[in-house]
Amino acid sequence: MNIPMSEKEKMLSMLTEICNQIEELESVLEASFTDCRLQLKSKEQEKIKETIQRLSEVEEKSKLENSLSSEEILDANIGTVPQSFKLELGF
């Protein structure tokens, strides 16, 4: 037995259907955005690792080029001071 629906009931059923579709869309979008976030995070981590490796390589090259340690540099500078240099205290 088919009972004719009033306009309000038709509108209510249409709105209910729209709400259900929106909820489905929300779950699909959430899953999609989660995948996108994970991919972006992975790419960012790869870029950071590459940058760290490059920095390490630059540091190693710098160490090789500047093989003098800070102590050697200080010792070399101290040796240039004349031995006859004296300080006098005065009042």
Side-chain angles (χ1 to χ4, degrees):
M1 177 160 115
N2 247 347
I3 300 174
M5 295 189 341
S6 68
E7 290 297 319
K8 287 182 183 179
E9 289 174 336
K10 287 180 185 178
M11 185 67 77
L12 184 60
S13 69
M14 287 176 21
L15 289 174
T16 303
E17 181 62 31
I18 291 172
C19 182
N20 291 338
Q21 291 176 355
I22 289 174
E23 287 175 352
E24 272 184 55
L25 180 62
E26 181 183 16
S27 65
V28 169
L29 286 174
E30 181 66 29
S32 177
F33 282 134
T34 300
D35 289 342
C36 287
R37 278 193 296 268
L38 292 174
Q39 289 175 357
L40 284 173
K41 184 178 178 180
S42 174
K43 287 180 182 179
E44 298 265 331
Q45 288 177 343
E46 287 177 25
K47 288 179 182 180
I48 289 172
K49 286 180 184 178
E50 288 176 10
T51 304
I52 289 172
Q53 288 175 348
R54 288 181 184 172
L55 282 173
S56 296
E57 291 172 4
V58 169
E59 286 177 347
E60 289 299 318
K61 286 180 183 179
S62 175
K63 285 180 183 177
L64 290 176
E65 289 178 5
N66 300 324
S67 60
L68 291 177
S69 69
S70 60
E71 292 173 354
E72 292 173 330
I73 293 172
L74 288 175
D75 288 342
N77 288 338
I78 290 173
T80 60
V81 177
Q83 294 295 331
S84 63
F85 186 71
K86 295 181 182 179
L87 293 177
E88 294 181 13
L89 294 175
F91 293 96

